[in-house]
Amino acid sequence: MTVSAVTTYTLSLNELIDEALDLLGVGSEGEAITADMYARGKRSLNLMILSFNADEDLWRRETRSVTLLASTASYALAAPKPMRVEAARRKNTASGYETPMTMWSRQEYLDQPNKTSAPSTPVNFYYDPQRDTGTLYLWPAPTSTVASAFTVNLDILRPMFLMDTSADTLDFPQEWQETVIYNLAVRLMPKYPVNDSNQAQLVIAQAANLLAKLKSWDQETASIYLQPDYRWQ
């Protein structure tokens, strides 16, 4: 038996739109896909990608490092704005030793009376994801000694990159391409109604099945251990 040994297969923006329209019977008999149809498909795809940002995907988790400043509690995080900060660790730059920090809610941080007046070693963090920017808050604010000796490493959930040119490829793992195509086809149905209702239902069902399958796959396989939060004992 001969195999190709090829494990990658990537479609461009226009190819993804072609496949989605083909599922709807548009262009399947040789009619031309116009520039306006590609533009409409691109808009629908990018809007779908933006909505998918609300999901938590393992492949979108990244580590960012924050440089500390003396007596400074707030730090604007660089673009692209993280969707979430999942965890934070205080890192000693000399030894490399990292200490987990405790995540706070917005209310817990706002309830602190001394946000910058009593600098010490930061042990808690709160992330404020506003519309255009994201700000990390540390408590307590670091002293000059701590700021010079430590950084804070963040485990973030980044947003997906949108598609701009016709040759762009998805900012997804390649196994997501079929799922994206079917779900894009569902979003294009109101613009290009399918005459065959059975075909329409087949596309809708397959889009849901593919998405559910990948979401169930995109999970950590490590064990989870639960224990009461000591703050509420």
Side-chain angles (χ1 to χ4, degrees):
M1 182 177 67
T2 302
V3 297
S4 68
V6 175
T7 59
T8 59
Y9 187 75
T10 305
L11 299 178
S12 66
L13 168 60
N14 280 6
E15 289 172 328
L16 293 165
I17 295 172
D18 286 339
E19 288 294 312
L21 290 175
D22 193 37
L23 291 173
L24 304 180
V26 179
S28 59
E29 296 183 1
E31 66 268 32
I33 306 300
T34 66
D36 180 68
M37 294 167 73
Y38 280 121
R40 291 172 183 271
K42 173 184 170 181
R43 285 197 297 270
S44 293
L45 178 54
N46 279 330
L47 288 170
M48 186 177 75
I49 291 173
L50 288 172
S51 69
F52 279 6
N53 272 333
D55 293 330
E56 291 201 38
D57 304 297
L58 295 180
W59 46 271
R60 291 165 52 206
R61 300 280 287 270
E62 294 182 348
T63 298
R64 286 195 191 176
S65 181
V66 176
T67 300
L68 301 183
L69 300 173
S71 300
T72 301
S74 63
Y75 300 82
L77 299 186
K81 182 196 77 176
M83 302 296 294
R84 285 183 175 172
V85 173
E86 306 282 4
R89 301 173 306 281
R90 189 178 62 251
K91 181 179 179 179
N92 186 305
T93 54
S95 67
Y97 188 84
E98 296 187 64
T99 303
M101 301 175 67
T102 300
M103 180 188 296
W104 266 353
S105 67
R106 177 182 179 87
Q107 193 63 49
E108 287 175 303
Y109 177 75
L110 293 178
D111 284 346
Q112 303 308 309
N114 57 333
K115 296 179 178 62
T116 58
S117 60
S120 185
T121 300
V123 294
N124 301 92
F125 74 95
Y126 156 61
Y127 177 57
D128 184 21
Q130 292 298 312
R131 184 188 65 188
D132 299 319
T133 60
T135 303
L136 178 75
Y137 293 90
L138 302 180
W139 187 90
T143 63
S144 58
T145 300
V146 170
S148 63
F150 290 86
T151 58
V152 170
N153 285 344
L154 305 177
D155 182 20
I156 69 160
L157 181 71
R158 68 167 179 83
M160 286 177 276
F161 296 112
L162 302 178
M163 305 192 79
D164 186 24
T165 70
S166 61
D168 284 349
T169 57
L170 284 170
D171 183 25
F172 288 75
Q174 63 177 3
E175 62 268 18
W176 274 79
Q177 290 178 112
E178 186 180 25
T179 298
V180 168
I181 289 167
Y182 269 85
N183 280 272
L184 175 58
V186 171
R187 282 162 170 76
L188 290 175
M189 277 186 186
K191 300 177 182 179
Y192 307 99
V194 180
N195 293 327
D196 186 343
S197 60
N198 290 332
Q199 174 67 9
Q201 291 304 313
L202 178 64
V203 172
I204 293 171
Q206 183 70 336
N209 289 339
L210 288 169
L211 183 59
K213 180 179 180 180
L214 282 180
K215 294 307 296 182
S216 65
W217 162 257
D218 192 34
Q219 303 287 335
E220 291 193 40
T221 57
S223 300
I224 298 177
Y225 299 93
L226 303 177
Q227 65 182 30
D229 190 320
Y230 71 90
R231 292 174 296 172
W232 309 115
Q233 293 179 357

